[in-house]
Amino acid sequence: MKLDEQILEEKIREYRTFKSCSESTLMGLCETAGADITQREMVKLACGFAGGMGGTFDEGTCGALTGALMANGILNDDPALIKSNAKKLFNEFKEEYGTVRCDIISKKGEDKSPCVDCCVFIAKKAADLWEE
């Protein structure tokens, strides 16, 4: 599946002004791909992953990555492909940022300046994977 990366980035940047990383990434990917899931369902699914996990900013996985992994599951039917893609996305994110931990990336939630770029980065990586 081919996603328009410009539209994807615009959606994520817009959502990230008022939504969490997990919500913004999931919604941007699913909406750009035309997934059969409502915004309300996506917010309910992703909101617990905000701020590392439940807004703790403590050792939890970055919401940008968890949002992309949720979208990966929604947009793919093959469990083996979902797992393979998840591993690739995890590794790409960790290589780029040196960690997958929200508390390290956001300085325990005190500096959210890298957040939107994390969302865009991993969403584009997911889109690239799905295009292969």
Side-chain angles (χ1 to χ4, degrees), residues 72 76-85:
N72 180 53
N76 289 293
D77 293 325
D78 178 3
L81 181 60
I82 293 168
K83 288 178 187 175
S84 173
N85 285 349

Side-chain angles (χ1 to χ4, degrees), residues 27 39 49 73 95 102 124:
M27 292 167 68
Q39 280 191 353
F49 294 91
E95 182 177 315
C102 177
K124 286 184 175 183

Side-chain angles (χ1 to χ4, degrees), residues 20 22-23 43-56 66 70:
S20 71
S22 54
E23 294 165 337
V43 169
K44 285 173 47 179
L45 181 63
C47 70
F49 294 91
M53 297 289 166
T56 63
T66 57
M70 285 183 268

Side-chain angles (χ1 to χ4, degrees), residues 21-42:
C21 292
S22 54
E23 294 165 337
S24 299
T25 306
L26 174 63
M27 292 167 68
L29 283 165
C30 287
E31 288 180 4
T32 304
D36 187 23
I37 184 170
T38 67
Q39 280 191 353
R40 185 171 188 269
E41 291 168 328
M42 287 186 278

Side-chain angles (χ1 to χ4, degrees), residues 2-132:
K2 172 98 171 105
L3 300 185
D4 184 319
E5 290 191 7
Q6 181 178 346
I7 290 172
L8 175 62
E9 181 171 348
E10 288 171 4
K11 283 182 178 289
I12 289 171
R13 288 191 182 280
E14 178 186 345
Y15 284 133
R16 190 59 192 94
T17 62
F18 61 96
K19 295 285 187 192
S20 71
C21 292
S22 54
E23 294 165 337
S24 299
T25 306
L26 174 63
M27 292 167 68
L29 283 165
C30 287
E31 288 180 4
T32 304
D36 187 23
I37 184 170
T38 67
Q39 280 191 353
R40 185 171 188 269
E41 291 168 328
M42 287 186 278
V43 169
K44 285 173 47 179
L45 181 63
C47 70
F49 294 91
M53 297 289 166
T56 63
F57 297 102
D58 185 32
E59 298 183 27
T61 302
C62 172
L65 179 56
T66 57
L69 296 181
M70 285 183 268
N72 180 53
I74 290 168
L75 296 169
N76 289 293
D77 293 325
D78 178 3
L81 181 60
I82 293 168
K83 288 178 187 175
S84 173
N85 285 349
K87 183 176 183 177
K88 289 175 185 173
L89 292 170
F90 179 93
N91 289 333
E92 291 267 1
F93 191 93
K94 190 170 184 178
E95 182 177 315
E96 179 71 13
Y97 293 98
T99 185
V100 298
R101 287 179 43 183
C102 177
D103 64 324
I104 295 171
I105 294 167
S106 70
K107 296 183 176 83
K108 295 196 179 270
E110 294 175 15
D111 178 11
K112 296 181 184 175
S113 62
C115 295
V116 72
D117 290 332
C118 289
C119 297
V120 170
F121 169 81
I122 201 61
K124 286 184 175 183
K125 291 295 181 182
D128 292 344
L129 267 180
W130 302 333
E131 190 176 336
E132 292 175 0

